[in-house]
Amino acid sequence: MKFSLKSEVTAKIWDPKSGRATVQTKEALQLNRYLDSIKGQMICTIIASRKLTKS
């Protein structure tokens, strides 16, 4: 699945294979935390929707 968060990051700190910023800068750490937050929200939404369809 691909989606856009409408965020920009310089190519030199981005690892396209892992989908994360690789350098330990404040910007990179904030971006990775944000990505983790979005991923967590997506997982919770998927789990909740599966529970609703099983009921």
Side-chain angles (χ1 to χ4, degrees), residues 4-27:
S4 174
L5 298 175
K6 307 295 183 200
S7 295
E8 293 184 15
V9 64
T10 57
K12 67 181 180 179
I13 71 166
W14 185 252
D15 178 15
K17 191 171 186 176
S18 68
R20 299 180 66 78
T22 58
V23 180
Q24 295 295 312
T25 64
K26 183 178 178 181
E27 175 191 21

Side-chain angles (χ1 to χ4, degrees), residues 5-54:
L5 298 175
K6 307 295 183 200
S7 295
E8 293 184 15
V9 64
T10 57
K12 67 181 180 179
I13 71 166
W14 185 252
D15 178 15
K17 191 171 186 176
S18 68
R20 299 180 66 78
T22 58
V23 180
Q24 295 295 312
T25 64
K26 183 178 178 181
E27 175 191 21
L29 294 172
Q30 287 176 330
L31 176 61
N32 286 338
R33 272 191 234 111
Y34 179 61
L35 293 172
D36 290 340
S37 171
I38 296 298
K39 182 179 177 181
Q41 290 175 30
M42 291 174 69
I43 290 169
C44 287
T45 301
I46 290 167
I47 290 170
S49 68
R50 286 183 180 173
K51 286 181 180 179
L52 288 175
T53 59
K54 289 182 180 180

